[in-house]
Amino acid sequence: MLTIRNLSATVQDTPVLKGISLEVKAGEVHAIMGPNGSGKSTLGKVLAGHPSYEVTEGEAIFQGKNLFDMEADERARQGLFLGFQYPIEVPGVSNSQFLRMAYNKRAEALGQDELDPLEFQDFIHTKTSLVGMNESFLDRSVNEGFSGGEKKRNEILQMAVLNPVLAILDETDSGLDIDALRIVGSAITQLRRSDNATILITHYQRLLDHVTPDFVHVLQGGRIIKSGGPELAVRLEKEGYDWLLEEINL
Amino acid sequence: MVTSLAPRFPAVELKAGASPIWRTLQRQDQEVWSSMAFPTLKDEDWKYFDLSPLRDVTYVLPSDQRAPLSLQIEPSALRLYWNQGCLQIPTSLPKGIILRPLDPKKRLSSKLDQDYFFRMNQAFFSEVYELRIQQSFESKDPIYLENILQGSDDQVSLAFSRLHIVVESGVKVQIVNRFRGSNAYHLISAISFKIQNEALVDLERLQYDSAQSFHFSYLQAHIGRGAHLGVRTVGQGSRLRRDVPHIHLEEASTVELDGLCLLKDQQLADTHSFIHHAHPHARSRQLHKCIVQDRSKAIFNGQILVALNAQQTDAQQQSRNLVLGDHASIDTKPQLEIYADDVKCSHGATIGQLDPDELFYLQSRGFSESSAKGLLTFAFASDLLGHIRVPILQKTLKQEMIEQLHVHTLGELS
């Protein structure tokens, strides 16, 4: 589904990704961990097409197409989703209007029928219950006045609506209390299917208690320095990154 | 070098039947105005406002060809029309409304008298009416003041409109002052308010002037004790536009003065506001937003004067500006003069562009770059549009803004 080969990228001429290779197959969940500044969030933004980053080497093939040949919006319509660490607010545009517009753009790309407001109302109902969101949030402006946790839930709601092929969730667990974490974790698990895949970018094991990854990768200095199974995340949670950094130096 | 417009200005005669006092006053105004110098960039008040497009203008008086009136669907308590600046007297008026020639003694004198174009309005306007909204007025629908201008193709029609409004104590009223025009004209409009104690007035000023027009508008409001005035001005037409609101606050009165300018091409819009906190316990809120595209330019000069005895004044002013064109520009200047010592006054001015991270967020949800820009621009203006108190107008304005921004995706918003 996604094949990243030797990906390097810079921001304002500073190298931030230095040769990343990663294979994500349909049905898989990958967790990307690593200390602050290791390049985790950057990887998500580069894959989603943030204009501040320049790809200097390598490629990313997503469903047979080179991601870097597409603008960010085209990648989204092709089924790539980035859940933001800091979602933005869009005053004056209600959440349901926004979701429906985004849904229809994706539907158009898939050759499916667009939904009118009434049809969308029925459709969205099943999705808000998935993320445990009060429907009053649909009438409010996108993320305006939402708490940190509510914004993150809203990201998962968008993911549920857009039904992406590949979702990259950038620190979706940060800012969530224990209950919200459980709900978000369970929503991600329920959205998991054999024909889609998820990349979880996270600092902590705690989200992985709710969503069991197939693979865990550790990013450091813009490179993947270790890959393993779920047990790797458990060990990192217990022992931190020092042992791993020592192991690499040896 | 233009020193005065007077020599190439068509003569305007007072209407037959105007009172002798008005004739005398007008003759005096004409004399004063003729001796005033045409403003230049060297004048502090005109520092950023390039009047050169007016220089080669040939003025004509508007033909009295009737402008076609479009069918209005909004429910209204009263609808008055100014055709080419000339008030069409209605055959009947609703309960609680009086429309009559203004008593010259009630003419407000203010520092606006020093303004070249305001004085020009005074000097050449031929009939001044007073609209009185009495305590017996009880409609919940707005009063519409509709100005219709039909300019000419190769010359500039010159039109003046003027009205004095008295809102009696305790009256609650919504007023919509709308301007529509075509071709080239120069309109100098002046409206003054005497808002008596405890009255509540909402004023929506919607300026749909033509792209070739010049529109200079003056708003004077005297807000009585405990009274409230909320003003929203939305301007989007006009080659040159200047808006000069002057607000005088009595004790414990409040004003909300909002303005939105959406400019493109070579448009130039200038808002020179003056809020006078003359007495204690009054509150003012000013939010001014400008969006400049292409090579357009917006100017904001917001003066707030807090007099020595205006203790417990609460004044806030915000100037927020969005620059979308590489050659567009903004000049903004808050000007607070505070002489009282126990007051709460704040001001802020920002000039910015669309945030790349915000654009990226929308693009990552499938919106093209241009619709993402339009959506964020709409979001920038939306709080101000949300302040408009007449729901049908709020909806229309939002829809028009969407069309202006060429964001067809947003067509689904309404």
PDB file of all heavy atoms in Angstrom, chain A residues 43-77:
ATOM      1  N   LEU A  43       7.797  13.297   9.374  1.00  0.00           N
ATOM      2  CA  LEU A  43       7.498  12.199   8.450  1.00  0.00           C
ATOM      3  C   LEU A  43       6.027  12.265   8.027  1.00  0.00           C
ATOM      4  O   LEU A  43       5.705  12.176   6.838  1.00  0.00           O
ATOM      5  CB  LEU A  43       7.821  10.847   9.107  1.00  0.00           C
ATOM      6  CG  LEU A  43       7.496   9.611   8.253  1.00  0.00           C
ATOM      7  CD1 LEU A  43       8.298   9.608   6.953  1.00  0.00           C
ATOM      8  CD2 LEU A  43       7.755   8.325   9.040  1.00  0.00           C
ATOM      9  N   GLY A  44       5.147  12.498   9.003  1.00  0.00           N
ATOM     10  CA  GLY A  44       3.720  12.597   8.698  1.00  0.00           C
ATOM     11  C   GLY A  44       3.444  13.755   7.754  1.00  0.00           C
ATOM     12  O   GLY A  44       2.703  13.613   6.777  1.00  0.00           O
ATOM     13  N   LYS A  45       4.047  14.910   8.037  1.00  0.00           N
ATOM     14  CA  LYS A  45       3.786  16.096   7.222  1.00  0.00           C
ATOM     15  C   LYS A  45       4.346  15.936   5.807  1.00  0.00           C
ATOM     16  O   LYS A  45       3.724  16.372   4.829  1.00  0.00           O
ATOM     17  CB  LYS A  45       4.404  17.330   7.882  1.00  0.00           C
ATOM     18  CG  LYS A  45       3.619  17.782   9.109  1.00  0.00           C
ATOM     19  CD  LYS A  45       4.284  18.987   9.741  1.00  0.00           C
ATOM     20  CE  LYS A  45       3.577  19.398  11.015  1.00  0.00           C
ATOM     21  NZ  LYS A  45       4.369  20.386  11.760  1.00  0.00           N
ATOM     22  N   VAL A  46       5.522  15.327   5.710  1.00  0.00           N
ATOM     23  CA  VAL A  46       6.116  15.128   4.381  1.00  0.00           C
ATOM     24  C   VAL A  46       5.237  14.199   3.553  1.00  0.00           C
ATOM     25  O   VAL A  46       4.962  14.456   2.373  1.00  0.00           O
ATOM     26  CB  VAL A  46       7.554  14.574   4.506  1.00  0.00           C
ATOM     27  CG1 VAL A  46       8.068  14.080   3.154  1.00  0.00           C
ATOM     28  CG2 VAL A  46       8.487  15.640   5.075  1.00  0.00           C
ATOM     29  N   LEU A  47       4.742  13.137   4.185  1.00  0.00           N
ATOM     30  CA  LEU A  47       3.898  12.194   3.445  1.00  0.00           C
ATOM     31  C   LEU A  47       2.583  12.859   3.022  1.00  0.00           C
ATOM     32  O   LEU A  47       2.064  12.596   1.944  1.00  0.00           O
ATOM     33  CB  LEU A  47       3.614  10.942   4.287  1.00  0.00           C
ATOM     34  CG  LEU A  47       4.832  10.042   4.536  1.00  0.00           C
ATOM     35  CD1 LEU A  47       4.468   8.902   5.486  1.00  0.00           C
ATOM     36  CD2 LEU A  47       5.391   9.474   3.223  1.00  0.00           C
ATOM     37  N   ALA A  48       2.064  13.746   3.880  1.00  0.00           N
ATOM     38  CA  ALA A  48       0.781  14.394   3.561  1.00  0.00           C
ATOM     39  C   ALA A  48       0.955  15.600   2.639  1.00  0.00           C
ATOM     40  O   ALA A  48      -0.018  16.120   2.105  1.00  0.00           O
ATOM     41  CB  ALA A  48       0.061  14.811   4.841  1.00  0.00           C
ATOM     42  N   GLY A  49       2.216  16.083   2.484  1.00  0.00           N
ATOM     43  CA  GLY A  49       2.452  17.139   1.493  1.00  0.00           C
ATOM     44  C   GLY A  49       2.541  18.548   2.030  1.00  0.00           C
ATOM     45  O   GLY A  49       2.161  19.510   1.353  1.00  0.00           O
ATOM     46  N   HIS A  50       3.033  18.731   3.248  1.00  0.00           N
ATOM     47  CA  HIS A  50       3.196  20.096   3.781  1.00  0.00           C
ATOM     48  C   HIS A  50       4.204  20.867   2.924  1.00  0.00           C
ATOM     49  O   HIS A  50       5.309  20.390   2.679  1.00  0.00           O
ATOM     50  CB  HIS A  50       3.672  20.033   5.234  1.00  0.00           C
ATOM     51  CG  HIS A  50       3.560  21.351   5.941  1.00  0.00           C
ATOM     52  ND1 HIS A  50       4.290  22.461   5.565  1.00  0.00           N
ATOM     53  CD2 HIS A  50       2.793  21.757   6.987  1.00  0.00           C
ATOM     54  CE1 HIS A  50       3.987  23.477   6.359  1.00  0.00           C
ATOM     55  NE2 HIS A  50       3.074  23.086   7.228  1.00  0.00           N
ATOM     56  N   PRO A  51       3.830  22.070   2.470  1.00  0.00           N
ATOM     57  CA  PRO A  51       4.678  22.795   1.528  1.00  0.00           C
ATOM     58  C   PRO A  51       6.001  23.296   2.109  1.00  0.00           C
ATOM     59  O   PRO A  51       6.906  23.653   1.346  1.00  0.00           O
ATOM     60  CB  PRO A  51       3.799  23.987   1.109  1.00  0.00           C
ATOM     61  CG  PRO A  51       2.798  24.134   2.202  1.00  0.00           C
ATOM     62  CD  PRO A  51       2.574  22.780   2.762  1.00  0.00           C
ATOM     63  N   SER A  52       6.131  23.327   3.441  1.00  0.00           N
ATOM     64  CA  SER A  52       7.383  23.829   4.017  1.00  0.00           C
ATOM     65  C   SER A  52       8.528  22.817   3.913  1.00  0.00           C
ATOM     66  O   SER A  52       9.679  23.165   4.151  1.00  0.00           O
ATOM     67  CB  SER A  52       7.193  24.174   5.489  1.00  0.00           C
ATOM     68  OG  SER A  52       6.219  25.147   5.620  1.00  0.00           O
ATOM     69  N   TYR A  53       8.191  21.576   3.596  1.00  0.00           N
ATOM     70  CA  TYR A  53       9.239  20.547   3.551  1.00  0.00           C
ATOM     71  C   TYR A  53       9.581  20.213   2.115  1.00  0.00           C
ATOM     72  O   TYR A  53       8.717  20.110   1.255  1.00  0.00           O
ATOM     73  CB  TYR A  53       8.771  19.273   4.279  1.00  0.00           C
ATOM     74  CG  TYR A  53       8.510  19.515   5.736  1.00  0.00           C
ATOM     75  CD1 TYR A  53       7.256  19.939   6.173  1.00  0.00           C
ATOM     76  CD2 TYR A  53       9.529  19.360   6.678  1.00  0.00           C
ATOM     77  CE1 TYR A  53       7.014  20.195   7.507  1.00  0.00           C
ATOM     78  CE2 TYR A  53       9.295  19.610   8.018  1.00  0.00           C
ATOM     79  CZ  TYR A  53       8.039  20.033   8.430  1.00  0.00           C
ATOM     80  OH  TYR A  53       7.809  20.290   9.753  1.00  0.00           O
ATOM     81  N   GLU A  54      10.873  20.015   1.884  1.00  0.00           N
ATOM     82  CA  GLU A  54      11.303  19.669   0.543  1.00  0.00           C
ATOM     83  C   GLU A  54      11.874  18.254   0.550  1.00  0.00           C
ATOM     84  O   GLU A  54      12.759  17.934   1.363  1.00  0.00           O
ATOM     85  CB  GLU A  54      12.367  20.665   0.064  1.00  0.00           C
ATOM     86  CG  GLU A  54      12.588  20.568  -1.423  1.00  0.00           C
ATOM     87  CD  GLU A  54      13.809  21.369  -1.872  1.00  0.00           C
ATOM     88  OE1 GLU A  54      14.209  22.300  -1.148  1.00  0.00           O
ATOM     89  OE2 GLU A  54      14.356  21.034  -2.937  1.00  0.00           O
ATOM     90  N   VAL A  55      11.344  17.439  -0.329  1.00  0.00           N
ATOM     91  CA  VAL A  55      11.873  16.076  -0.458  1.00  0.00           C
ATOM     92  C   VAL A  55      13.124  16.146  -1.317  1.00  0.00           C
ATOM     93  O   VAL A  55      13.085  16.628  -2.445  1.00  0.00           O
ATOM     94  CB  VAL A  55      10.822  15.144  -1.099  1.00  0.00           C
ATOM     95  CG1 VAL A  55      11.410  13.772  -1.356  1.00  0.00           C
ATOM     96  CG2 VAL A  55       9.593  15.051  -0.202  1.00  0.00           C
ATOM     97  N   THR A  56      14.237  15.707  -0.750  1.00  0.00           N
ATOM     98  CA  THR A  56      15.498  15.828  -1.480  1.00  0.00           C
ATOM     99  C   THR A  56      15.935  14.499  -2.090  1.00  0.00           C
ATOM    100  O   THR A  56      16.761  14.467  -2.994  1.00  0.00           O
ATOM    101  CB  THR A  56      16.612  16.344  -0.547  1.00  0.00           C
ATOM    102  OG1 THR A  56      16.603  15.561   0.655  1.00  0.00           O
ATOM    103  CG2 THR A  56      16.387  17.802  -0.198  1.00  0.00           C
ATOM    104  N   GLU A  57      15.410  13.415  -1.562  1.00  0.00           N
ATOM    105  CA  GLU A  57      15.806  12.099  -2.072  1.00  0.00           C
ATOM    106  C   GLU A  57      14.727  11.085  -1.754  1.00  0.00           C
ATOM    107  O   GLU A  57      13.965  11.261  -0.804  1.00  0.00           O
ATOM    108  CB  GLU A  57      17.114  11.672  -1.383  1.00  0.00           C
ATOM    109  CG  GLU A  57      18.121  11.054  -2.319  1.00  0.00           C
ATOM    110  CD  GLU A  57      19.310  10.485  -1.560  1.00  0.00           C
ATOM    111  OE1 GLU A  57      19.759  11.118  -0.592  1.00  0.00           O
ATOM    112  OE2 GLU A  57      19.751   9.389  -1.950  1.00  0.00           O
ATOM    113  N   GLY A  58      14.698  10.036  -2.551  1.00  0.00           N
ATOM    114  CA  GLY A  58      13.816   8.919  -2.248  1.00  0.00           C
ATOM    115  C   GLY A  58      12.429   9.087  -2.809  1.00  0.00           C
ATOM    116  O   GLY A  58      12.118  10.090  -3.456  1.00  0.00           O
ATOM    117  N   GLU A  59      11.592   8.097  -2.532  1.00  0.00           N
ATOM    118  CA  GLU A  59      10.234   8.144  -3.060  1.00  0.00           C
ATOM    119  C   GLU A  59       9.268   7.483  -2.084  1.00  0.00           C
ATOM    120  O   GLU A  59       9.677   6.759  -1.167  1.00  0.00           O
ATOM    121  CB  GLU A  59      10.174   7.441  -4.427  1.00  0.00           C
ATOM    122  CG  GLU A  59      10.623   5.994  -4.357  1.00  0.00           C
ATOM    123  CD  GLU A  59      10.520   5.273  -5.702  1.00  0.00           C
ATOM    124  OE1 GLU A  59      10.244   5.946  -6.704  1.00  0.00           O
ATOM    125  OE2 GLU A  59      10.704   4.052  -5.718  1.00  0.00           O
ATOM    126  N   ALA A  60       8.004   7.765  -2.290  1.00  0.00           N
ATOM    127  CA  ALA A  60       6.958   7.116  -1.505  1.00  0.00           C
ATOM    128  C   ALA A  60       5.867   6.708  -2.482  1.00  0.00           C
ATOM    129  O   ALA A  60       5.237   7.568  -3.101  1.00  0.00           O
ATOM    130  CB  ALA A  60       6.417   8.068  -0.449  1.00  0.00           C
ATOM    131  N   ILE A  61       5.700   5.415  -2.652  1.00  0.00           N
ATOM    132  CA  ILE A  61       4.694   4.909  -3.593  1.00  0.00           C
ATOM    133  C   ILE A  61       3.464   4.512  -2.792  1.00  0.00           C
ATOM    134  O   ILE A  61       3.528   3.665  -1.899  1.00  0.00           O
ATOM    135  CB  ILE A  61       5.236   3.691  -4.378  1.00  0.00           C
ATOM    136  CG1 ILE A  61       6.565   4.023  -5.070  1.00  0.00           C
ATOM    137  CG2 ILE A  61       4.184   3.231  -5.400  1.00  0.00           C
ATOM    138  CD1 ILE A  61       6.499   5.145  -6.079  1.00  0.00           C
ATOM    139  N   PHE A  62       2.357   5.188  -3.105  1.00  0.00           N
ATOM    140  CA  PHE A  62       1.101   4.954  -2.400  1.00  0.00           C
ATOM    141  C   PHE A  62       0.097   4.419  -3.411  1.00  0.00           C
ATOM    142  O   PHE A  62      -0.250   5.112  -4.359  1.00  0.00           O
ATOM    143  CB  PHE A  62       0.626   6.278  -1.785  1.00  0.00           C
ATOM    144  CG  PHE A  62      -0.715   6.212  -1.101  1.00  0.00           C
ATOM    145  CD1 PHE A  62      -0.965   5.294  -0.092  1.00  0.00           C
ATOM    146  CD2 PHE A  62      -1.729   7.077  -1.478  1.00  0.00           C
ATOM    147  CE1 PHE A  62      -2.202   5.248   0.541  1.00  0.00           C
ATOM    148  CE2 PHE A  62      -2.968   7.037  -0.851  1.00  0.00           C
ATOM    149  CZ  PHE A  62      -3.199   6.110   0.157  1.00  0.00           C
ATOM    150  N   GLN A  63      -0.308   3.205  -3.225  1.00  0.00           N
ATOM    151  CA  GLN A  63      -1.237   2.546  -4.155  1.00  0.00           C
ATOM    152  C   GLN A  63      -0.768   2.696  -5.601  1.00  0.00           C
ATOM    153  O   GLN A  63      -1.546   3.045  -6.485  1.00  0.00           O
ATOM    154  CB  GLN A  63      -2.640   3.134  -4.018  1.00  0.00           C
ATOM    155  CG  GLN A  63      -3.247   2.874  -2.656  1.00  0.00           C
ATOM    156  CD  GLN A  63      -4.679   3.353  -2.620  1.00  0.00           C
ATOM    157  OE1 GLN A  63      -4.944   4.544  -2.743  1.00  0.00           O
ATOM    158  NE2 GLN A  63      -5.609   2.426  -2.436  1.00  0.00           N
ATOM    159  N   GLY A  64       0.509   2.455  -5.795  1.00  0.00           N
ATOM    160  CA  GLY A  64       1.054   2.468  -7.145  1.00  0.00           C
ATOM    161  C   GLY A  64       1.393   3.842  -7.711  1.00  0.00           C
ATOM    162  O   GLY A  64       1.904   3.953  -8.812  1.00  0.00           O
ATOM    163  N   LYS A  65       1.091   4.911  -6.945  1.00  0.00           N
ATOM    164  CA  LYS A  65       1.397   6.253  -7.450  1.00  0.00           C
ATOM    165  C   LYS A  65       2.435   6.921  -6.562  1.00  0.00           C
ATOM    166  O   LYS A  65       2.426   6.716  -5.345  1.00  0.00           O
ATOM    167  CB  LYS A  65       0.133   7.132  -7.448  1.00  0.00           C
ATOM    168  CG  LYS A  65      -0.881   6.728  -8.491  1.00  0.00           C
ATOM    169  CD  LYS A  65      -2.095   7.648  -8.386  1.00  0.00           C
ATOM    170  CE  LYS A  65      -3.208   7.145  -9.294  1.00  0.00           C
ATOM    171  NZ  LYS A  65      -4.492   7.779  -8.972  1.00  0.00           N
ATOM    172  N   ASN A  66       3.292   7.722  -7.195  1.00  0.00           N
ATOM    173  CA  ASN A  66       4.279   8.447  -6.412  1.00  0.00           C
ATOM    174  C   ASN A  66       3.587   9.610  -5.684  1.00  0.00           C
ATOM    175  O   ASN A  66       3.063  10.523  -6.303  1.00  0.00           O
ATOM    176  CB  ASN A  66       5.391   8.978  -7.323  1.00  0.00           C
ATOM    177  CG  ASN A  66       6.565   9.491  -6.506  1.00  0.00           C
ATOM    178  OD1 ASN A  66       6.435   9.735  -5.294  1.00  0.00           O
ATOM    179  ND2 ASN A  66       7.710   9.636  -7.150  1.00  0.00           N
ATOM    180  N   LEU A  67       3.616   9.531  -4.357  1.00  0.00           N
ATOM    181  CA  LEU A  67       2.963  10.571  -3.546  1.00  0.00           C
ATOM    182  C   LEU A  67       3.476  11.955  -3.885  1.00  0.00           C
ATOM    183  O   LEU A  67       2.722  12.929  -3.896  1.00  0.00           O
ATOM    184  CB  LEU A  67       3.247  10.332  -2.059  1.00  0.00           C
ATOM    185  CG  LEU A  67       2.274   9.534  -1.222  1.00  0.00           C
ATOM    186  CD1 LEU A  67       2.697   9.618   0.238  1.00  0.00           C
ATOM    187  CD2 LEU A  67       0.854  10.064  -1.380  1.00  0.00           C
ATOM    188  N   PHE A  68       4.775  12.039  -4.152  1.00  0.00           N
ATOM    189  CA  PHE A  68       5.387  13.361  -4.295  1.00  0.00           C
ATOM    190  C   PHE A  68       5.069  14.014  -5.642  1.00  0.00           C
ATOM    191  O   PHE A  68       5.455  15.149  -5.883  1.00  0.00           O
ATOM    192  CB  PHE A  68       6.897  13.288  -4.040  1.00  0.00           C
ATOM    193  CG  PHE A  68       7.205  12.697  -2.683  1.00  0.00           C
ATOM    194  CD1 PHE A  68       8.205  11.743  -2.531  1.00  0.00           C
ATOM    195  CD2 PHE A  68       6.463  13.067  -1.569  1.00  0.00           C
ATOM    196  CE1 PHE A  68       8.461  11.187  -1.280  1.00  0.00           C
ATOM    197  CE2 PHE A  68       6.713  12.512  -0.323  1.00  0.00           C
ATOM    198  CZ  PHE A  68       7.714  11.558  -0.178  1.00  0.00           C
ATOM    199  N   ASP A  69       4.347  13.304  -6.487  1.00  0.00           N
ATOM    200  CA  ASP A  69       3.859  13.925  -7.720  1.00  0.00           C
ATOM    201  C   ASP A  69       2.514  14.617  -7.494  1.00  0.00           C
ATOM    202  O   ASP A  69       1.970  15.231  -8.398  1.00  0.00           O
ATOM    203  CB  ASP A  69       3.667  12.865  -8.816  1.00  0.00           C
ATOM    204  CG  ASP A  69       5.001  12.339  -9.318  1.00  0.00           C
ATOM    205  OD1 ASP A  69       6.019  13.015  -9.075  1.00  0.00           O
ATOM    206  OD2 ASP A  69       5.008  11.246  -9.912  1.00  0.00           O
ATOM    207  N   MET A  70       1.974  14.447  -6.292  1.00  0.00           N
ATOM    208  CA  MET A  70       0.630  14.976  -6.048  1.00  0.00           C
ATOM    209  C   MET A  70       0.654  16.105  -5.018  1.00  0.00           C
ATOM    210  O   MET A  70       1.453  16.079  -4.094  1.00  0.00           O
ATOM    211  CB  MET A  70      -0.288  13.869  -5.497  1.00  0.00           C
ATOM    212  CG  MET A  70      -0.566  12.737  -6.470  1.00  0.00           C
ATOM    213  SD  MET A  70      -1.742  11.572  -5.746  1.00  0.00           S
ATOM    214  CE  MET A  70      -0.645  10.306  -5.133  1.00  0.00           C
ATOM    215  N   GLU A  71      -0.269  17.069  -5.206  1.00  0.00           N
ATOM    216  CA  GLU A  71      -0.455  18.104  -4.185  1.00  0.00           C
ATOM    217  C   GLU A  71      -1.122  17.480  -2.960  1.00  0.00           C
ATOM    218  O   GLU A  71      -1.725  16.408  -3.053  1.00  0.00           O
ATOM    219  CB  GLU A  71      -1.361  19.214  -4.728  1.00  0.00           C
ATOM    220  CG  GLU A  71      -0.784  20.011  -5.886  1.00  0.00           C
ATOM    221  CD  GLU A  71       0.409  20.856  -5.475  1.00  0.00           C
ATOM    222  OE1 GLU A  71       0.415  21.348  -4.323  1.00  0.00           O
ATOM    223  OE2 GLU A  71       1.343  20.999  -6.285  1.00  0.00           O
ATOM    224  N   ALA A  72      -1.036  18.208  -1.855  1.00  0.00           N
ATOM    225  CA  ALA A  72      -1.599  17.696  -0.601  1.00  0.00           C
ATOM    226  C   ALA A  72      -3.071  17.320  -0.743  1.00  0.00           C
ATOM    227  O   ALA A  72      -3.506  16.269  -0.252  1.00  0.00           O
ATOM    228  CB  ALA A  72      -1.441  18.740   0.502  1.00  0.00           C
ATOM    229  N   ASP A  73      -3.849  18.181  -1.448  1.00  0.00           N
ATOM    230  CA  ASP A  73      -5.280  17.905  -1.538  1.00  0.00           C
ATOM    231  C   ASP A  73      -5.561  16.665  -2.391  1.00  0.00           C
ATOM    232  O   ASP A  73      -6.488  15.910  -2.129  1.00  0.00           O
ATOM    233  CB  ASP A  73      -6.040  19.124  -2.065  1.00  0.00           C
ATOM    234  CG  ASP A  73      -5.427  19.737  -3.309  1.00  0.00           C
ATOM    235  OD1 ASP A  73      -4.208  19.956  -3.317  1.00  0.00           O
ATOM    236  OD2 ASP A  73      -6.164  19.973  -4.281  1.00  0.00           O
ATOM    237  N   GLU A  74      -4.700  16.454  -3.398  1.00  0.00           N
ATOM    238  CA  GLU A  74      -4.895  15.274  -4.240  1.00  0.00           C
ATOM    239  C   GLU A  74      -4.580  14.004  -3.445  1.00  0.00           C
ATOM    240  O   GLU A  74      -5.281  12.992  -3.553  1.00  0.00           O
ATOM    241  CB  GLU A  74      -3.981  15.392  -5.457  1.00  0.00           C
ATOM    242  CG  GLU A  74      -4.489  14.614  -6.638  1.00  0.00           C
ATOM    243  CD  GLU A  74      -3.530  14.696  -7.820  1.00  0.00           C
ATOM    244  OE1 GLU A  74      -2.775  15.680  -7.906  1.00  0.00           O
ATOM    245  OE2 GLU A  74      -3.540  13.759  -8.633  1.00  0.00           O
ATOM    246  N   ARG A  75      -3.548  14.076  -2.634  1.00  0.00           N
ATOM    247  CA  ARG A  75      -3.209  12.922  -1.786  1.00  0.00           C
ATOM    248  C   ARG A  75      -4.383  12.582  -0.877  1.00  0.00           C
ATOM    249  O   ARG A  75      -4.711  11.421  -0.670  1.00  0.00           O
ATOM    250  CB  ARG A  75      -1.974  13.238  -0.929  1.00  0.00           C
ATOM    251  CG  ARG A  75      -0.729  13.505  -1.748  1.00  0.00           C
ATOM    252  CD  ARG A  75       0.475  13.792  -0.867  1.00  0.00           C
ATOM    253  NE  ARG A  75       1.456  14.575  -1.626  1.00  0.00           N
ATOM    254  CZ  ARG A  75       2.671  14.855  -1.215  1.00  0.00           C
ATOM    255  NH1 ARG A  75       3.085  14.425  -0.023  1.00  0.00           N
ATOM    256  NH2 ARG A  75       3.497  15.559  -1.946  1.00  0.00           N
ATOM    257  N   ALA A  76      -4.997  13.636  -0.349  1.00  0.00           N
ATOM    258  CA  ALA A  76      -6.140  13.415   0.547  1.00  0.00           C
ATOM    259  C   ALA A  76      -7.284  12.747  -0.203  1.00  0.00           C
ATOM    260  O   ALA A  76      -7.895  11.805   0.297  1.00  0.00           O
ATOM    261  CB  ALA A  76      -6.595  14.748   1.139  1.00  0.00           C
ATOM    262  N   ARG A  77      -7.542  13.247  -1.413  1.00  0.00           N
ATOM    263  CA  ARG A  77      -8.659  12.663  -2.177  1.00  0.00           C
ATOM    264  C   ARG A  77      -8.363  11.233  -2.601  1.00  0.00           C
ATOM    265  O   ARG A  77      -9.272  10.452  -2.826  1.00  0.00           O
ATOM    266  CB  ARG A  77      -8.970  13.556  -3.394  1.00  0.00           C
ATOM    267  CG  ARG A  77      -9.579  14.908  -2.989  1.00  0.00           C
ATOM    268  CD  ARG A  77     -10.172  15.643  -4.186  1.00  0.00           C
ATOM    269  NE  ARG A  77      -9.150  16.005  -5.155  1.00  0.00           N
ATOM    270  CZ  ARG A  77      -8.503  17.165  -5.170  1.00  0.00           C
ATOM    271  NH1 ARG A  77      -8.774  18.079  -4.261  1.00  0.00           N
ATOM    272  NH2 ARG A  77      -7.597  17.427  -6.082  1.00  0.00           N
TER     273      ARG A  77
END
